[in-house]
Amino acid sequence: MSAISISKESLKIIMKNKDTILRKKESVTNSEIPKVTGITNNKSSYLNVQVYSFFKWLLPPVFGILMLLAIWTLISHQSPNLPGPLKTWSSAVALFSDPFYDHGPNDKGVGWNIVASLQRVALGFGLAALIGIPLGFIIGRFNFISRMAAPVISLLRPVSPLAWLPIGLLVFKAANPAAIWVIFISAIWPMIINTSVGVSKVPQDYMNVAKVLNLSEWKIFTKILFPFALPYMMTGVRLSIGVAWLVIVAAEMLTGGVGIGFWVWDEWNNLNVEHIIIAIFVVGFVGLLLELALTQIAKKFSYE
Amino acid sequence: MEKTLTTEKANSDRYVQLENVDMTFSTKKGDFNALKNINLSIREGEFVSIIGHSGCGKSTVLNLIAGLTQPTEGLLFCAGREIAGPGPQRAVVFQNHSLLPWLTCYENVYLAVERVFGTSAEKKEPKTQLKTRTNAALELVGLTHATDKRPNEISGGMKQRVGIARALAMEPKVLLLDEPFGALDALTRANLQDELMKIMAKSGCTAVMVTHDVDEAILLSDRVVMMTNGPSAGIGEILEVNLPRPRARLALAEDTDYNHLRSEVLRFLYERHAKKAA
Ligand SMILES: Nc1ncnc2c1ncn2[C@@H]1O[C@H](COP(=O)(O)OP(=O)(O)OP(=O)(O)O)[C@@H](O)[C@H]1O
Ligand SMILES: [Mg+2]
């Protein structure tokens, strides 16, 4: 959830800065060009402006990160157990020089752990999409089913994802499918709910067109419901992948095996705090990438 | 022989028929009786306008004929059969055009053509035929240049034309138009009215149009149905428009018959059934 709000904020910042870039260009062409005579000069001043505005765009986020590092350094000076940024950085360089080593099931490179976690998320999330999206369409389309599903959804949705883990372990009798089950059950709700809301918001005018034409249920789905609900559905998918990535770390801490969550737990047992901090950054970074990728896909799918 | 002829005649005289139709909506504040005891017969090939103040129930009448709503009381017939629900033989041009924004103009029309001519088992036409029909419909309304544009890329007048093209491409028995030109500027409206007149003369299908424009009603119609104000609105008067066709807008402006008809409708609307300011 927090990752979403951050990315929105940064988007806003980018938008604002685009504006400033444009304005900058205009003011330059108005005031400075008359003074400059040579074409080459003109070009280089234009380049200068571009470089300048690029730095102006870059500055705030860089400041933010520097501030984070400063606070971190300050705290690490107060608390001797917490490694500072420099120590963590050198440890990260060592770690990522060989991310894909494999020394048996209990000692794999950090790369393998990330891949294992992504695989679980992909499976759990994929299954959730496979079931949740069609379910959302059915719930949105048929009032009876919507009323039927409403109490079940409102009862199960607020349940904390990890509360489902014992059920998973009990039914599947293995850690890995149990972790996937937790991802599945926590990622399915945003997709069901957003898709069904989208479908139920289809304007009556469009449905009247369908009625006058006597369209088949399949045509209604492909030509009206699906295109209309698609942006809603993509919002659900985006929220779901965020939730899935949030939950995987916690689930893996409990189930063990290979995975970024388990890795964090393992490094805690080794008291390797640098690696824990690295893991936090890695989780944040991967989450950001997932979010960005899905935002891009969602943009492609909107018809406006 | 004699008998079948007379029944056929009766059928074409009462091609669309409303018998003692009552419409009551149940709302949160209780029942609202919108229409009371509507009786109306429409001949085959006739163009009928329904005119009345806002909120009197014009759209409701049209939706009843379309089959989109069911009357609480009374019966509706089309071509001798009871109207049980909506269907492509009664095409609707909606007040707000109702084009699907994710489809191009061509695809919007094609969706209707495909449904009417490309799916029924006994007379399924090949794809090329469907394409020809779609292009012909768009050409009829002068939109060949905009076929691949989305509705949000074209003007309001063009959208309304696509809506008309979609309805006409279905070759309906009855064309239902709900204030088809209401949202347009006066010039575009006049153009489209002229085009619609030509198209209707060619196709000869029956049409019911809702409007609140007196000139539009008289120019296009064979009869103008004037509705009283709601609640419990009914048909106040029916005016025969016996002006010869084809009708020319400019010539009619000075025609005494036309001006007489015009003042009749105006008197009905603004003297006898004036709407109190809300
Ligand atoms: N689904 C509905 N539920 C409740 N009341 C309705 C419903 N549809 C229409 N009405 C009421 O019935 C009356 C007639 O509505 P209708 O839309 O037919 O008016 P209209 O003559 O088409 O008006 P306008 O010229 O503004 O389009 C109105 O008072 C309206 O509030
Ligand atoms: Mg209306």
Side-chain angles (χ1 to χ4, degrees):
Chain A
M1 298 301 214
S2 58
I4 292 157
S5 61
I6 287 166
S7 70
K8 267 191 190 150
E9 276 304 303
S10 54
L11 268 180
K12 261 185 215 157
I13 291 166
I14 293 164
M15 298 294 269
K16 264 185 204 156
N17 280 300
K18 264 190 190 154
D19 281 351
T20 55
I21 291 166
L22 285 178
R23 249 177 263 134
K24 204 79 207 167
K25 272 184 203 160
E26 274 166 20
S27 67
V28 165
T29 46
N30 286 342
S31 60
E32 277 180 22
I33 282 180
K35 285 177 215 157
V36 183
T37 43
I39 294 166
T40 46
N41 266 345
N42 200 342
K43 247 188 192 166
S44 75
S45 85
Y46 177 73
L47 236 151
N48 272 343
V49 170
Q50 276 210 322
V51 170
Y52 170 77
S53 50
F54 176 71
F55 275 107
K56 207 177 160 194
W57 172 76
L58 201 66
L59 220 56
V62 168
F63 257 155
I65 288 173
L66 283 179
M67 194 120 111
L68 178 70
L69 291 177
I71 293 171
W72 177 9
T73 315
L74 220 73
I75 295 172
S76 71
H77 275 296
Q78 304 299 314
S79 145
N81 290 332
L82 190 74
L86 284 176
K87 216 172 147 199
T88 309
W89 177 252
S90 57
S91 163
V93 169
L95 189 71
F96 281 102
S97 64
D98 184 15
F100 287 106
Y101 70 83
D102 189 350
H103 300 160
N106 286 327
D107 189 12
K108 287 192 184 189
V110 67
W112 286 126
N113 283 291
I114 296 171
V115 168
S117 293
L118 280 175
Q119 264 172 358
R120 276 190 201 109
V121 166
L123 244 143
F125 167 80
L127 283 174
L130 222 61
I131 294 172
I133 290 172
L135 212 60
F137 274 104
I138 293 167
I139 289 171
R141 179 82 178 99
F142 302 106
N143 196 33
F144 182 86
I145 297 184
S146 160
R147 303 239 348 247
M148 223 170 87
V152 180
I153 292 176
S154 20
L155 190 77
L156 297 186
R157 192 177 57 120
V159 174
S160 163
L162 290 183
W164 293 104
L165 188 61
I167 307 283
L169 288 170
L170 199 78
V171 172
F172 298 110
K173 299 188 173 60
N176 198 38
I180 292 167
W181 153 252
V182 171
I183 300 297
F184 168 84
I185 199 77
S186 50
I188 200 169
W189 307 117
M191 288 193 277
I192 292 182
I193 290 164
N194 280 278
T195 308
S196 68
V197 164
V199 173
S200 66
K201 276 197 179 157
V202 170
Q204 192 55 44
D205 291 337
Y206 299 161
M207 295 317 287
N208 279 345
V209 170
K211 278 189 202 155
V212 167
L213 291 181
N214 256 339
L215 291 181
S216 63
E217 197 61 39
W218 174 246
K219 276 278 176 201
I220 291 178
F221 172 74
T222 54
K223 297 291 174 181
I224 298 177
L225 299 185
F226 188 75
F228 183 84
L230 195 60
Y232 292 85
M233 196 187 96
M234 286 311 294
T235 305
V237 167
R238 233 178 55 209
L239 290 173
S240 278
I241 202 111
V243 170
W245 190 244
L246 271 178
V247 168
I248 188 69
V249 176
E252 285 173 349
M253 276 185 175
L254 295 176
T255 56
V258 185
I260 193 75
F262 171 71
W263 192 70
V264 169
W265 197 246
D266 205 33
E267 298 302 330
W268 169 243
N269 287 334
N270 299 338
L271 274 179
N272 190 341
V273 186
E274 286 100 339
H275 281 186
I276 293 176
I277 295 171
I278 292 166
I280 287 171
F281 279 106
V282 165
V283 169
F285 193 65
V286 173
L288 187 68
L289 286 186
L290 288 176
E291 168 78 21
L292 281 179
L294 279 169
T295 312
Q296 256 355 81
I297 294 173
K299 258 191 215 155
K300 272 226 170 102
F301 274 123
S302 92
Y303 58 89
E304 298 286 7
Chain B
M1 193 66 196
E2 189 74 41
K3 194 147 193 272
T4 50
L5 262 180
T6 48
T7 50
E8 241 169 52
K9 174 102 171 55
N11 255 343
S12 74
D13 269 353
R14 285 181 264 128
Y15 194 63
V16 177
Q17 194 170 6
L18 287 77
E19 272 181 16
N20 305 322
V21 169
D22 267 36
M23 187 69 219
T24 303
F25 293 107
S26 50
T27 62
K28 277 173 201 154
K29 287 183 193 161
D31 286 356
F32 177 81
N33 181 231
L35 299 175
K36 195 166 172 121
N37 202 23
I38 303 272
N39 283 292
L40 181 64
S41 297
I42 297 170
R43 285 193 305 274
E44 192 169 7
E46 193 179 20
F47 195 115
V48 171
S49 289
I50 302 175
I51 198 165
H53 288 287
S54 179
C56 69
K58 306 183 293 292
S59 294
T60 309
V61 171
L62 207 72
N63 287 343
L64 284 167
I65 300 174
L68 287 167
T69 42
Q70 298 299 321
T72 32
E73 205 96 14
L75 293 169
L76 290 107
F77 299 94
C78 177
R81 281 216 230 144
E82 196 180 341
I83 296 172
Q89 69 279 10
R90 274 165 284 119
V92 184
V93 176
F94 295 93
Q95 188 161 358
N96 53 3
H97 65 78
S98 291
L99 300 177
L100 301 174
W102 41 83
L103 300 183
T104 62
C105 297
Y106 178 89
E107 289 166 334
N108 265 292
V109 177
Y110 188 82
L111 185 68
V113 171
E114 189 188 32
R115 174 63 191 89
V116 177
F117 301 103
T119 48
S120 60
E122 69 269 25
K123 48 162 195 175
K124 195 173 162 183
E125 294 180 4
K127 271 232 167 75
T128 49
Q129 181 82 20
L130 302 179
K131 276 184 191 163
T132 318
R133 278 182 183 278
T134 308
N135 285 321
L138 284 162
E139 202 186 322
L140 197 63
V141 296
L143 277 182
T144 20
H145 60 284
T147 45
D148 291 328
K149 290 209 168 107
R150 298 266 168 90
N152 60 357
E153 295 166 341
I154 60 177
S155 70
M158 288 160 86
K159 279 181 215 166
Q160 210 55 47
R161 286 181 205 209
V162 180
I164 293 170
R166 176 172 64 186
L168 288 172
M170 293 153 69
E171 294 189 352
K173 294 197 174 118
V174 182
L175 185 65
L176 303 169
L177 307 114
D178 192 352
E179 300 193 27
F181 313 126
L184 304 178
D185 64 278
L187 281 177
T188 316
R189 196 187 309 166
N191 273 334
L192 283 179
Q193 284 166 358
D194 290 345
E195 276 175 46
L196 185 64
M197 257 194 294
K198 277 185 213 148
I199 291 167
M200 294 312 292
K202 242 192 267 173
S203 73
C205 81
T206 313
V208 182
M209 178 178 73
V210 165
T211 182
H212 51 227
D213 182 333
V214 178
D215 291 299
E216 181 174 275
I218 298 173
L219 182 67
L220 294 172
S221 316
D222 299 312
R223 275 192 298 162
V224 179
V225 173
M226 293 175 265
M227 287 183 67
T228 60
N229 291 335
S232 305
I235 293 174
E237 237 172 83
I238 298 181
L239 191 72
E240 293 272 348
V241 181
N242 285 319
L243 301 169
R245 287 178 191 269
R247 296 172 185 166
R249 176 184 305 279
L250 283 176
L252 282 180
E254 281 143 33
D255 189 297
T256 43
D257 286 343
Y258 175 82
N259 281 312
H260 176 72
L261 292 166
R262 194 169 182 278
S263 47
E264 285 273 302
V265 180
L266 286 174
R267 206 169 298 139
F268 177 92
L269 287 176
Y270 299 107
E271 264 176 22
R272 272 176 285 157
H273 294 276
K275 182 140 180 145
K276 287 163 223 107

